[in-house]
Amino acid sequence: MQSITEKIDALFEPWQQGLCPGGQVLVRQRGETVYDRCFGYADVENRIPMTRDHVLHVASVSKQFTVMAVLLLQEDGKLSLEDDIRAYIPDLVAFPQPMRIRALVNNISGLRDMMELLDLRGVRNVDTITQQDIRTILAHQRGLNYPPESRHTYCNSNYMLLAEIVERVSGQTLQQFMQQRIFAPLGMTDTVVRETYWQMIPNRAVSYWDSGSEFFHYVLNYGYYGGTSLHTNARDLMRWMENYRRPTVCRAETMAEMLRVPVLKTGAPTNYAGGLRVDAMDGHRYLKHAGEDAGFRSFILRMTEDDIDIVIVSNTDNVYTETAAFGIARILLGLPVEVKPAPQPSLTAFDEKNAPGCYYSMLPEGFVFTVYEKNGTLWMTDECGDAPLTHVEGDLYRQGRLRHWLRLGDNAPLLSTPETDYHLHKAFAGPLTAEQLAGKTGRYESREIDTGYEVRERDGRLWLWHFRRGLTPLYPVEGDLFVTTYQRPCFIRFLRDEAGTVRGLSLSGNRVQELELNKV
């Protein structure tokens, strides 16, 4: 019979394949460490194994720390979650609607996501991005995705603005405030907020993207913070988890406020508290949060009534850390660990010539990629270099060694990962009708993202051109709605005036909705 250690080890099998990136896993039950292991290499090129001292970028796990900083200022009587954000950052707010600090804390503001805005502006993931870049683009926004506190949408902009509020109210940088009020009191000696992309951090691990066939160094040039850029390790994060068990850096009522889940103005509940999701698994209450930037992945999970704390930090993306964390919890609770099976092919007889093309899922999940043939092999577009696909059966393919399966072709296409199934559409890539083409070519501009696009016609199709993106095809979805392939899914809707003439277009993604550009 497998021991608990062996069962947990099995969840991290991709990190035990020789010279590969990996991570740190630390598990505590009722205050006692029951699992503590490092896997793989912190620096593959220089063959430096991962150790407990290595520091990793934990991405969105940072958000809960920024929320705690705001709540500590509320403890001090220097602000209130009920205050309008204009009282603190009027220069960063151009939209007319009032907005409480609480709306930022709970991801119910309606703000457009800053990373998608930058993407639409032409900024690439590997470009250097500073806090000033974020201030500038948010200060230009005159519209919201929806009225504040009417819906929940995950949005990085909320926490960047919270960081700005902390700095202006405290008179310190976010790092200085957190060091004084959070890191030092908890003994988090290896933890730091990376405020600039050129900042040196001792023992920092390098991030890698796994295409399923090889690893790529994934450059992380972020120099902004609030919603990301915390650098730490599993040991320090477990000290933070202890603060959830027994609050020491804040009062009990402050912790209760952090864990409070709001009710929307519509009366609907959400499960997003202060930089944390609060929910239950098979009746076992938990709080959790994930982080994902470049190749870095992180996840923290506390089973509140069972007193189980799980921390996973990684410098690659080939283990779904949330799935692994809940797998560990189920092992410790004596519950069955469910492994999501590979999907079945929808067609057993399949002509591979029907596989290439653009595949997309509709919003809000939104996913888009391209499959093409090269030298007799099918490949799919990936974050860092394209990835070869392996034929499994019929219309079912696998992305290398990853647990990513694709059903290709026109019959029920699908992308299946250990966490999610994306039900796809295969885009039509043939010539458009005269009605589909009419009136759409021309230049479109937006002051909110300070950029312009051109729609061009070539070979009976429409193409979208941007000076940093080049030319990308527009695939028809329905009516005036099209989709194209950018870093993130991008849906383009042509807008018409009362006479039916195209007057502009809107850009929509997972976290930016209907951003309008005018035809000029």
Side-chain angles (χ1 to χ4, degrees):
M1 181 178 293
Q2 277 187 314
S3 67
I4 286 177
T5 297
E6 290 171 328
K7 290 179 180 178
I8 296 176
D9 282 348
L11 299 173
F12 300 96
E13 182 269 339
W15 296 350
Q16 302 171 61
Q17 303 301 314
L19 185 64
C20 63
Q24 305 165 355
V25 184
L26 184 55
V27 183
R28 196 172 57 183
Q29 188 172 26
R30 292 183 290 277
E32 299 295 325
T33 299
V34 297
Y35 189 88
D36 183 3
R37 183 168 179 188
C38 296
F39 295 91
Y41 287 74
D43 185 333
V44 173
E45 294 99 318
N46 294 300
R47 299 181 179 242
I48 301 173
M50 184 74 71
T51 71
R52 292 171 178 82
D53 294 325
H54 276 103
V55 172
L56 295 88
H57 172 97
V58 295
S60 290
V61 168
S62 311
K63 290 177 170 64
Q64 59 203 279
F65 289 86
T66 301
V67 170
M68 177 56 73
V70 171
L71 292 174
L72 289 173
L73 289 172
Q74 180 171 261
E75 263 193 17
D76 297 342
K78 294 182 177 179
L79 57 74
S80 167
L81 296 191
E82 308 308 313
D83 294 341
D84 191 317
I85 63 175
R86 285 172 176 76
Y88 305 98
I89 49 172
D91 54 311
L92 301 181
V93 179
F95 48 85
Q97 299 92 329
M99 184 178 292
R100 295 189 296 173
I101 295 176
R102 183 181 298 281
L104 305 182
V105 165
N106 296 129
N107 259 334
I108 54 176
S109 67
L111 285 170
R112 296 163 174 161
D113 187 84
M114 61 195 197
M115 293 309 297
E116 287 197 12
L117 289 170
L118 288 173
D119 182 35
L120 296 175
R121 190 166 188 251
V123 177
R124 304 182 183 94
N125 281 347
V126 295
D127 289 341
T128 56
I129 308 171
T130 68
Q131 193 80 341
Q132 183 56 50
D133 293 329
I134 305 299
R135 292 188 193 102
T136 299
I137 200 161
L138 291 185
H140 277 72
Q141 300 309 301
R142 288 161 174 77
L144 300 174
N145 287 331
Y146 49 81
E149 303 185 38
S150 64
R151 289 170 51 191
H152 166 266
T153 303
Y154 192 84
C155 177
N156 290 287
S157 306
N158 295 324
Y159 302 91
M160 180 273 172
L161 293 182
L162 288 175
E164 288 292 309
I165 291 171
V166 170
E167 294 191 336
R168 296 184 189 194
V169 172
S170 69
Q172 298 176 288
T173 67
L174 187 66
Q175 161 61 22
Q176 290 168 340
F177 184 86
M178 288 189 177
Q179 176 63 31
Q180 178 183 338
R181 300 292 295 274
I182 300 174
F183 304 154
L186 293 177
M188 298 175 68
T189 55
D190 294 322
T191 302
V192 65
V193 176
R194 192 184 190 204
E195 297 175 318
T196 62
Y197 61 83
W198 57 82
Q199 185 174 334
M200 299 290 287
I201 297 176
N203 295 319
R204 183 158 58 95
V206 178
S207 68
Y208 298 91
W209 184 265
D210 188 355
S211 72
S213 58
E214 60 182 310
F215 292 105
F216 297 89
H217 176 207
Y218 201 132
V219 176
L220 185 69
N221 285 333
Y222 294 174
Y224 62 86
Y225 50 87
T228 188
S229 292
L230 188 77
H231 283 62
T232 186
N233 51 34
R235 180 175 57 208
D236 269 13
L237 278 178
M238 193 59 79
R239 293 175 176 131
W240 168 249
M241 300 296 280
E242 179 64 24
N243 192 59
Y244 290 127
R245 276 182 97 228
R246 298 187 180 91
T248 56
V249 301
C250 65
R251 296 196 289 258
E253 55 266 33
T254 297
M255 181 58 71
E257 180 65 64
M258 185 167 183
L259 300 180
R260 186 168 75 86
V261 177
V263 174
L264 300 175
K265 288 182 176 179
T266 60
T270 76
N271 69 354
Y272 202 90
L276 292 163
R277 294 193 186 274
V278 180
D279 214 326
M281 176 196 73
D282 293 352
H284 297 264
R285 300 290 298 172
Y286 65 74
L287 59 87
K288 70 172 185 178
H289 212 283
E292 178 180 329
D293 274 338
F296 289 111
R297 298 291 184 271
S298 58
F299 197 80
I300 62 113
L301 174 66
R302 172 162 175 75
M303 311 299 296
T304 51
E305 295 162 0
D306 301 290
D307 199 12
I308 294 172
D309 297 294
I310 299 167
V311 173
I312 305 173
V313 292
S314 172
N315 65 334
T316 191
D317 65 305
N318 55 15
V319 168
Y320 281 74
T321 51
E322 179 167 356
T323 301
F326 278 105
I328 294 170
R330 298 183 74 87
I331 290 169
L332 295 180
L333 293 170
L335 301 174
V337 179
E338 301 169 356
V339 178
K340 186 169 176 281
Q344 295 298 308
S346 65
L347 296 172
T348 53
F350 179 64
D351 186 348
E352 196 163 273
K353 293 179 181 177
N354 295 325
C358 174
Y359 294 83
Y360 66 93
S361 63
M362 297 299 292
L363 298 174
E365 61 179 10
F367 196 91
V368 61
F369 62 91
T370 301
V371 173
Y372 64 96
E373 185 271 335
K374 180 175 70 174
N375 299 326
T377 300
L378 289 181
W379 295 68
M380 71 174 290
T381 54
D382 202 30
E383 293 260 349
C384 301
D386 291 350
L389 300 178
T390 303
H391 185 235
V392 178
E393 178 187 0
D395 58 356
L396 187 64
Y397 294 77
R398 183 173 180 175
Q399 187 181 345
R401 57 177 168 257
L402 302 180
R403 291 181 60 82
H404 292 182
W405 285 271
L406 298 98
R407 281 204 307 250
L408 300 178
D410 298 310
N411 189 54
L414 176 80
L415 169 63
S416 179
T417 74
E419 289 182 348
T420 309
D421 282 347
Y422 297 93
H423 295 277
L424 306 171
H425 304 271
K426 188 181 180 189
F428 173 73
L432 303 181
T433 66
E435 183 180 359
Q436 288 175 311
L437 293 169
K440 294 184 174 73
T441 59
R443 181 167 178 82
Y444 300 79
E445 294 184 351
S446 166
R447 293 182 61 189
E448 291 185 279
I449 54 175
D450 194 22
T451 196
Y453 289 82
E454 291 180 13
V455 175
R456 301 176 179 178
E457 180 185 342
R458 189 176 71 183
D459 301 325
R461 298 177 61 190
L462 290 177
W463 299 75
L464 193 67
W465 180 87
H466 186 273
F467 81 104
R468 292 210 74 199
R469 299 289 189 200
L471 206 58
T472 56
L474 285 177
Y475 299 100
V477 176
E478 59 177 3
D480 284 328
L481 183 64
F482 290 72
V483 65
T484 192
T485 51
Y486 273 180
Q487 290 177 166
R488 297 170 175 82
C490 184
F491 288 82
I492 291 90
R493 184 182 301 278
F494 289 93
L495 308 174
R496 298 180 182 272
D497 60 22
E498 293 181 356
T501 303
V502 174
R503 63 171 178 81
L505 60 77
S506 69
L507 305 174
S508 295
N510 301 99
R511 301 170 189 170
V512 171
Q513 298 166 18
E514 304 293 338
L515 177 70
E516 291 195 14
L517 288 76
N518 295 317
K519 192 173 185 182
V520 295

